[in-house]
Amino acid sequence: MKIKSTIKNIFYHTIIFIIIVLFFFILFSYISFKKIENERLDKRMSNFSNNLSEKLEMINKIYFLLEEKSDILLKTKLEKINKNYEIYGKIELEKFKEDFIDLYVIDNNYKVIKSTNKSNIGLDFNKYKYFRKNLEKILNNQKYVSDRINQSLKGKKILKYAYLPSNDKKYIFEASIDMDYYNKILDKNSIYKLTNYNKELFPEIKEINLYNKFGVNYITKESIKKDKIKYENIKKTFEIGKLYRYEIKNNNFREVYIYIPYIIKGKLGTSLNIILELKYDNELINKKSILLLLKNIFIAMLFIFILLFINYKYKKSILYPMEKLLEAIEQIKIGDLNTKIDIKNNNNEIKVIADAINEMVYKLKTVINEKEISNSLIEATLEKSEKGYLETVKALATAIDAKDSYTGGHCERVMEYSLMIADKLKIPDKFKKDLKFAAILHDIGKIGIKDNVLNKPGRFTDDEYNEIKKHPQIGYDILKDIEFLKNSATILLYHHEKLDGTGYPKGISSKEIPLLSKILMIADSFDAMTSKRVYRKKNMLPEEAFEEMKRCKNQFEQKLVEVFIEAYIEKYSNK
């Protein structure tokens, strides 16, 4: 049977559709989560690197303030050495030595001839043209010069330098303070502390390193020249003079390096080049993505299991009884009047239909078996059978009203209002009968709507409203293959459409909506407006409902509205 297979197909296709939607939802959520989290991670790390740059700038300012204080100490040392040289003609560096200060003597050939740091004795500045040029200026100008912190030519240490030439222009006395001196004072604000970070707050960060322009790590003192990629990245960062980002991708794994350059310019035109390296990856994001995927799969499987359970309950309470009912109707259609429909479940709506059909068949069988029945009795019996159809339909309408506790008598009133309009328009009896059955059965599709949705107080959610909107199609599918209700099925299918095409279930516009559906639309809407409903505190008065229908020109055919108002006033004005 068509209707039987249609009901089954609708449900099974719905389950397949939901499974497909779930699959794509899981896939989309997995991909979206990874993309969003990776973007968020990059943004966090970008902000973190900016904070590091700002911190580096702040440390430089602190160093500058400390250097001004140490400048006094260095100047005093060099002046004592110079004075000792002028008085005694000797250069006695050991006499003025301190743990954190190194002293040097550079001759006028620009070589270190004496130093408290023995490793620097013999250092020839002629090999470094830029340094030699600066030393010439110092010697010729005969003034004390203090430079900013810089990197030593030997040992690659960070030092602050000061210079004082002798009056005879034979020597330049030089003093330096190790940067470690400043770091002990600064403690947490030391440049070396930049590599420290909160691992709980930033678990994605794998390491932070501080390098000089030669690729030597300031903390470990190790060179990274063997790591060609890192070394090239450091060189490139110095070349472009701004933040440089380098990324390594391997399938879903990302490893990102951010290089932040910083230059501290000295008074002599020299400069200290520092590179801060920030390394992070998305390993944690990948783990979270897998957990999200597994969680969504579990939820989807649980949802599918619930659907299968609903399917089982649906078959037991609705589909199987409906199949019995339709099979019996088919047997009756071919003349088997011994057929009896036996519904043994709690679905009262279908049982009401079955009992009504059994009674109709029994009466019809009794009439047919009467051999001496007269023509008038046959006509009376046929009329009674037609009434039996109507009573069956009314019984079903009563069952539908009973399902919605706030719409008692709704179907009967809609039928009455529809026929009032039809009478005014002088519609032929044949079409009026179709309209009558359509009006009383217009909400049959609500059999398939859950009670908790149908009787919900307050406004529906989008999902609940979408479920309610299915009832015209469900009603049509139930009635379309029953011969005497075939035309009525078409009428009720379109009774929730609107003239502007925004209605449901098909979304068709005025010219496509049948006249009888437009009549049913007005009757149904009027009763809904003037009856008590669960979602509305107060029902409208008839006059208010008339005005509302006049206002909604996009929904109701205005000529039909005028006919209905006229018919209603004629019938009820004296009551």
Side-chain angles (χ1 to χ4, degrees):
M1 291 176 67
K2 289 182 181 178
I3 192 165
K4 174 181 171 182
S5 60
T6 300
I7 293 171
K8 279 186 176 180
N9 288 338
I10 288 172
F11 193 82
Y12 290 136
H13 289 164
T14 301
I15 290 178
I16 292 169
F17 174 75
I18 289 171
I19 291 171
I20 293 170
V21 169
L22 282 173
F23 170 77
F24 281 106
F25 170 77
I26 290 170
L27 185 63
F28 175 76
S29 63
Y30 173 73
I31 294 170
S32 298
F33 177 81
K34 288 193 71 174
K35 183 182 177 183
I36 292 168
E37 287 300 310
N38 275 297
E39 288 174 354
R40 191 175 293 164
L41 173 62
D42 288 340
K43 189 173 182 180
R44 282 185 72 216
M45 292 301 103
S46 176
N47 292 336
F48 186 79
S49 61
N50 290 336
N51 289 337
L52 285 177
S53 295
E54 291 171 3
K55 194 171 182 181
L56 194 56
E57 178 70 28
M58 181 195 71
I59 290 171
N60 178 33
K61 289 177 180 177
I62 295 172
Y63 277 144
F64 183 78
L65 295 173
L66 289 173
E67 286 172 34
E68 287 184 340
K69 291 184 179 181
S70 62
D71 206 33
I72 298 169
L73 177 63
L74 291 177
K75 186 177 182 181
T76 303
K77 285 281 180 191
L78 293 176
E79 285 175 346
K80 285 182 179 179
I81 293 170
N82 188 36
K83 189 173 182 180
N84 187 75
Y85 169 68
E86 287 178 353
I87 295 171
Y88 300 108
K90 296 185 205 177
I91 301 174
E92 299 177 292
L93 299 183
E94 296 296 329
K95 186 176 179 181
F96 304 99
K97 181 181 177 183
E98 288 191 41
D99 289 341
F100 52 87
I101 297 177
D102 280 331
L103 303 170
Y104 313 85
V105 179
I106 303 169
D107 64 14
N108 52 13
N109 290 318
Y110 306 110
K111 293 181 180 179
V112 177
I113 58 172
K114 276 190 177 186
S115 175
T116 54
N117 184 347
K118 305 302 179 186
S119 65
N120 281 307
I121 295 174
L123 178 62
D124 187 357
F125 287 103
N126 293 297
K127 294 178 181 179
Y128 310 96
K129 291 181 181 180
Y130 196 78
F131 276 98
R132 187 184 185 284
K133 190 176 179 181
N134 287 326
L135 291 173
E136 281 180 6
K137 286 181 182 178
I138 293 169
L139 196 62
N140 292 327
N141 291 338
Q142 287 289 294
K143 289 182 180 179
Y144 170 79
V145 176
S146 173
D147 200 4
R148 290 293 315 276
I149 55 174
N150 206 338
Q151 198 164 32
S152 64
L153 293 173
K154 284 192 174 183
K156 310 303 180 188
K157 296 177 72 175
I158 304 299
L159 306 170
K160 173 179 173 55
Y161 292 94
Y163 305 88
L164 180 67
S166 63
N167 292 329
D168 57 12
K169 294 189 178 182
K170 288 184 179 180
Y171 305 105
I172 298 174
F173 303 116
E174 179 185 20
S176 67
I177 291 183
D178 196 325
M179 185 177 166
D180 286 340
Y181 169 74
Y182 298 122
N183 293 331
K184 287 173 185 175
I185 297 171
L186 291 172
D187 192 21
K188 291 181 181 180
N189 289 318
S190 162
I191 196 168
Y192 295 135
K193 299 295 183 180
L194 282 171
T195 58
N196 296 344
Y197 63 95
N198 189 327
K199 293 183 179 180
E200 290 183 3
L201 192 59
F202 298 99
E204 306 91 349
I205 297 177
K206 297 305 171 186
E207 56 185 58
I208 299 176
N209 295 307
L210 200 63
Y211 297 105
N212 64 20
K213 64 182 177 182
F214 304 104
V216 176
N217 189 308
Y218 279 119
I219 309 300
T220 64
K221 309 301 180 185
E222 295 176 357
S223 174
I224 58 160
K225 284 187 178 181
K226 291 181 181 179
D227 189 335
K228 291 183 179 179
I229 293 176
K230 273 194 175 186
Y231 188 62
E232 287 301 318
N233 288 339
I234 287 174
K235 285 173 63 179
K236 187 165 185 177
T237 305
F238 276 124
E239 286 173 10
I240 62 176
K242 60 182 180 180
L243 184 143
Y244 176 63
R245 191 174 182 276
Y246 179 76
E247 185 172 324
I248 300 171
K249 284 186 178 180
N250 184 10
N251 295 326
N252 289 325
F253 182 76
R254 293 170 62 240
E255 194 172 63
V256 182
Y257 295 82
I258 296 177
Y259 294 92
I260 306 164
Y262 194 80
I263 298 173
I264 299 176
K265 291 184 178 180
K267 292 181 181 178
L268 299 179
T270 56
S271 60
L272 174 63
N273 298 304
I274 297 171
I275 286 283
L276 202 60
E277 177 193 61
L278 170 65
K279 175 185 173 184
Y280 67 91
D281 61 39
N282 68 340
E283 183 181 358
L284 281 176
I285 292 175
N286 288 338
K287 288 179 180 178
K288 288 179 181 177
S289 300
I290 295 297
L291 288 174
L292 177 67
L293 182 64
L294 293 174
K295 179 184 175 182
N296 285 341
I297 289 173
F298 172 77
I299 293 170
M301 290 178 69
L302 183 64
F303 187 69
I304 291 169
F305 173 79
I306 292 169
L307 278 180
L308 293 174
F309 178 74
I310 292 171
N311 179 36
Y312 166 76
K313 297 293 287 182
Y314 169 76
K315 282 181 178 180
K316 188 176 178 182
S317 63
I318 296 177
L319 190 59
Y320 291 154
M322 202 70 172
E323 285 178 357
K324 281 187 179 182
L325 183 66
L326 296 172
E327 284 170 3
I329 290 171
E330 286 296 314
Q331 291 300 110
I332 294 168
K333 279 171 67 176
I334 61 174
D336 184 2
L337 299 182
N338 292 317
T339 301
K340 186 175 180 181
I341 307 169
D342 187 18
I343 303 295
K344 295 179 179 178
N345 76 336
N346 295 324
N347 197 313
N348 293 328
E349 293 91 340
I350 297 176
K351 195 171 187 312
V352 167
I353 298 172
D355 290 345
I357 292 174
N358 284 337
E359 184 180 355
M360 181 186 69
V361 171
Y362 172 75
K363 290 178 179 179
L364 186 60
K365 183 179 175 183
T366 302
V367 171
I368 291 173
N369 288 337
E370 290 288 342
K371 293 181 181 180
E372 299 179 359
I373 191 168
S374 65
N375 289 337
S376 61
L377 186 57
I378 291 172
E379 289 175 3
T381 304
L382 289 174
E383 185 181 347
K384 193 173 182 181
S385 296
E386 185 169 314
K387 286 183 180 178
Y389 276 116
L390 183 58
E391 290 302 316
T392 300
V393 170
K394 284 185 176 181
L396 181 56
T398 302
I400 296 165
D401 282 348
K403 186 173 176 68
D404 186 345
S405 60
Y406 281 80
T407 59
H410 171 65
C411 295
E412 288 277 353
R413 291 192 298 275
V414 171
M415 180 184 73
E416 180 184 353
Y417 298 150
S418 298
L419 294 178
M420 282 166 53
I421 299 172
D423 288 338
K424 269 284 182 183
L425 296 173
K426 297 181 180 179
I427 290 173
D429 290 342
K430 178 184 175 183
F431 299 112
K432 278 170 64 177
K433 186 170 78 172
D434 293 335
L435 177 59
K436 181 195 298 184
F437 289 152
I440 203 162
L441 289 174
H442 73 282
D443 279 339
I444 189 173
K446 289 184 179 178
I447 287 174
I449 307 300
K450 297 174 185 174
D451 289 346
N452 64 316
V453 174
L454 203 58
N455 292 309
K456 177 185 176 182
R459 288 190 174 273
F460 295 124
T461 64
D462 289 346
D463 291 339
E464 290 167 345
Y465 184 54
N466 286 334
E467 186 175 352
I468 287 287
K469 284 161 67 176
K470 294 175 185 175
H471 81 270
Q473 184 68 51
I474 295 172
Y476 173 78
D477 290 337
I478 290 172
L479 301 179
K480 68 179 181 180
D481 291 311
I482 300 173
E483 189 61 32
F484 78 98
L485 294 174
K486 185 163 59 176
N487 295 333
S488 300
T490 303
I491 296 169
L492 70 83
L493 175 63
Y494 300 114
H495 81 282
H496 276 295
E497 299 292 349
K498 293 183 181 180
L499 302 185
D500 63 358
T502 60
Y504 61 87
K506 303 295 183 182
I508 60 176
S509 56
S510 177
K511 291 182 181 179
E512 299 170 279
I513 303 171
L515 173 63
L516 299 183
S517 297
K518 291 178 181 178
I519 292 172
L520 178 56
M521 185 193 307
I522 290 171
D524 181 35
S525 299
F526 178 79
D527 190 68
M529 292 178 196
T530 55
S531 302
K532 184 179 179 183
R533 290 298 171 102
V534 66
Y535 52 80
R536 188 175 55 229
K537 291 182 180 178
K538 182 182 177 184
N539 51 300
M540 293 183 181
L541 295 173
E543 293 77 13
E544 292 173 328
F546 294 155
E547 290 304 315
E548 181 64 13
M549 287 194 292
K550 287 179 182 179
R551 189 182 65 80
C552 297
K553 293 181 173 60
N554 66 318
Q555 184 174 355
F556 306 111
E557 189 78 54
Q558 291 302 303
K559 289 182 180 179
L560 295 178
V561 170
E562 290 173 7
V563 171
F564 172 62
I565 294 171
E566 184 181 345
Y568 186 90
I569 292 171
E570 284 178 4
K571 186 167 184 177
Y572 294 104
S573 60
N574 297 324
K575 292 187 179 181

